[in-house]
Amino acid sequence: MAELSATQTVVDIEPVTLVAPDGTPTAEDRYSRDLPPETLSWLYEMMVVTRDLDVEFVNLQRQGELALFASCRGQEAAQIGAAACLRKTDWLFPQYREIGAFLLRGITPAQMGAIWRGMWHGGLGFTKKCVAPIAIPIGTHGLHAVGAAMAAQRLGEESVTVAFLGDGATSEGDAHEALNLASVFKAPCVFFVQNNQWAISVPVSHQLAAPSIAHRAVGYGMPGIRVDGNDVLACYAVMAEAAARAREGGGPTLIEAITYRLGPHTTSDDPTRYRSQEEVDYWLARDPLPRYRTYLQSIGVWTDRLEGRVAAKSKRLRTELRDSIVGAPDMDITDMFDTVYAEITPTLAQQREQLLAELAKEA
Ligand SMILES: Cc1ncc(C[n+]2csc(CCOP(=O)(O)OP(=O)(O)O)c2C)c(N)n1
Ligand SMILES: [Mg+2]
C-alpha cells in the first residue's frame, strides 16, 4: 500500500508581517526584510507607478474611453511583492486585477489598455513576458497554471508558475481541482490568493467555514501560509520561500495574502451599497503605500530624488497609456475569430461569415 506522506497540519492564523502598518519593523525573525537598497527603491517605484496608472485607467473609463476597468488600488504590495522575487521565465497566471504584476514584468500600459478597451482580447504582449492572458472566468486559470508547471517539470526546466487567485475564486471547483492536482503531482506552482475581503458584493466570510483560506492547504497536503498582503516585504519574502521550494522539487504552496480592495469591484460597481465607510477607513489606515514609504524613510532609503524619479516615471507611463487609448481606432471585429486558433476551424469560419453578412445588412 502506498504510504501517506506527512505534511504540515497547522497553519498560523497570524499573517507574516515584516513592517507594521505604522511603518516600523516587527519582531518577525523567520523572514528577512534586508533587501539591497536598489531593490527596496524599485519595489517602492513599482507600487507608486501601479497606483498612479490605476488612477489613469479609472479616469479613462469615466471619460468613456474604456468600457470597464477593475482597479487594484490597495493591493499593490501583494502583487508587487509576489512578482518581484520571481525569475522573468517564471510564468504568471493572473486573474484580471494584477496591474502591479503586469507593470513589473514590463508589459506596457498600451498593452494593458488594449485589453480593457477590447482592442486585443488575447493579450499577445502578455505572453511574450511569460504572463498568461487575464482570466475573466473565475478560477479557470488555476488549472492552466498547474498544467504549465507540470509541463515545466517534465521538460526538466527550473521554472515555477504562479496562479493569482481571488478569495472568491477559491470557492470555484476549478480552484480545488488545481490545488489538489498540483499537490498530488508536486507541481512547481504557487497559489497566491489575494484575499481582498470581497468577491464583488460577497464578503469573504461567505466563501469558507474554515479558519482561513490558507488552512485549506492542510487538506490538499501542501504548506499554507498567511501573509500581510499590505506589506510588500512580507509578500516578497513569503513568495521567495515558496518559489524556492517549488523550484527544488518541494511542490506547491498556498499563500493567502490578506489585503483590501479599496475601490469598487469594477467601474460598474457601487460598493457603498454593501460595505460601510468604517470598514474602508479601517483599511485606509493600513494602506500599503504610506506604510512602506515610512519604513524606507526610517532606514534612509527614501529620498526626495527617489520620489522625483518615481513621479517622472508615473507621468510618462500615464501619458503613454492615455495616448494609446484616446482616439484609438476600433478593432477589426473579425480578429475575434482569427486569433482563437493558429488556423481557423470550419465552425468559426462559418460564424465569421454569418456575422459579416449580418453587419453588411445593417450598414
Ligand atoms: C465562473 C465565473 N462566475 C462568476 C463570474 C462573475 N464574477 C466576476 S468577478 C467575480 C468575483 C471574483 O472575486 P475574487 O475572486 O475575490 O476576485 P476580486 O474581484 O476580489 O479580485 C465574479 C463572481 C465570473 N466572471 N466567472
Ligand atoms: Mg476578492
mmCIF file of all heavy atoms in Angstrom, residues 166-168 194 196-199, ligand 2:
data_model
loop_
_atom_site.group_PDB
_atom_site.id
_atom_site.type_symbol
_atom_site.label_atom_id
_atom_site.label_comp_id
_atom_site.label_asym_id
_atom_site.label_seq_id
_atom_site.Cartn_x
_atom_site.Cartn_y
_atom_site.Cartn_z
ATOM 1 N N GLY A 166 -8.356 35.159 -6.570
ATOM 2 C CA GLY A 166 -9.050 35.994 -5.597
ATOM 3 C C GLY A 166 -9.640 35.116 -4.498
ATOM 4 O O GLY A 166 -9.705 33.885 -4.651
ATOM 5 N N ASP A 167 -10.085 35.738 -3.408
ATOM 6 C CA ASP A 167 -10.729 34.964 -2.335
ATOM 7 C C ASP A 167 -11.971 34.258 -2.881
ATOM 8 O O ASP A 167 -12.238 33.094 -2.573
ATOM 9 C CB ASP A 167 -11.097 35.871 -1.150
ATOM 10 C CG ASP A 167 -11.719 37.178 -1.590
ATOM 11 O OD1 ASP A 167 -11.016 37.993 -2.213
ATOM 12 O OD2 ASP A 167 -12.921 37.383 -1.350
ATOM 13 N N GLY A 168 -12.711 34.958 -3.732
ATOM 14 C CA GLY A 168 -13.914 34.359 -4.310
ATOM 15 C C GLY A 168 -13.560 33.178 -5.203
ATOM 16 O O GLY A 168 -14.257 32.163 -5.215
ATOM 17 N N GLN A 194 -5.063 36.591 -3.342
ATOM 18 C CA GLN A 194 -5.231 37.930 -2.775
ATOM 19 C C GLN A 194 -6.610 37.968 -2.132
ATOM 20 O O GLN A 194 -7.624 38.118 -2.829
ATOM 21 C CB GLN A 194 -5.130 38.994 -3.864
ATOM 22 C CG GLN A 194 -3.738 39.122 -4.441
ATOM 23 C CD GLN A 194 -3.711 40.119 -5.566
ATOM 24 O OE1 GLN A 194 -3.655 41.329 -5.343
ATOM 25 N NE2 GLN A 194 -3.754 39.640 -6.800
ATOM 26 N N ASN A 196 -8.890 39.975 -0.793
ATOM 27 C CA ASN A 196 -9.178 41.416 -0.672
ATOM 28 C C ASN A 196 -10.531 41.644 0.014
ATOM 29 O O ASN A 196 -11.137 42.686 -0.116
ATOM 30 C CB ASN A 196 -9.096 42.104 -2.038
ATOM 31 C CG ASN A 196 -10.149 41.605 -3.012
ATOM 32 O OD1 ASN A 196 -11.026 40.815 -2.660
ATOM 33 N ND2 ASN A 196 -10.087 42.068 -4.249
ATOM 34 N N GLN A 197 -10.991 40.626 0.705
ATOM 35 C CA GLN A 197 -12.187 40.645 1.569
ATOM 36 C C GLN A 197 -13.520 40.581 0.829
ATOM 37 O O GLN A 197 -14.549 40.341 1.442
ATOM 38 C CB GLN A 197 -12.194 41.869 2.515
ATOM 39 C CG GLN A 197 -10.880 42.135 3.222
ATOM 40 C CD GLN A 197 -10.410 40.963 4.088
ATOM 41 O OE1 GLN A 197 -11.230 40.304 4.712
ATOM 42 N NE2 GLN A 197 -9.117 40.703 4.101
ATOM 43 N N TRP A 198 -13.506 40.803 -0.472
ATOM 44 C CA TRP A 198 -14.768 40.832 -1.209
ATOM 45 C C TRP A 198 -14.664 40.126 -2.555
ATOM 46 O O TRP A 198 -13.623 40.189 -3.209
ATOM 47 C CB TRP A 198 -15.216 42.292 -1.460
ATOM 48 C CG TRP A 198 -15.607 42.985 -0.202
ATOM 49 C CD1 TRP A 198 -14.806 43.758 0.583
ATOM 50 C CD2 TRP A 198 -16.887 42.938 0.449
ATOM 51 N NE1 TRP A 198 -15.502 44.195 1.683
ATOM 52 C CE2 TRP A 198 -16.796 43.716 1.626
ATOM 53 C CE3 TRP A 198 -18.109 42.310 0.147
ATOM 54 C CZ2 TRP A 198 -17.871 43.878 2.494
ATOM 55 C CZ3 TRP A 198 -19.184 42.481 1.013
ATOM 56 C CH2 TRP A 198 -19.061 43.264 2.177
ATOM 57 N N ALA A 199 -15.748 39.471 -2.962
ATOM 58 C CA ALA A 199 -15.908 38.959 -4.319
ATOM 59 C C ALA A 199 -17.147 39.691 -4.843
ATOM 60 O O ALA A 199 -18.273 39.324 -4.518
ATOM 61 C CB ALA A 199 -16.112 37.460 -4.323
HETATM 62 MG MG MG B 2 -11.809 39.218 -3.760
#
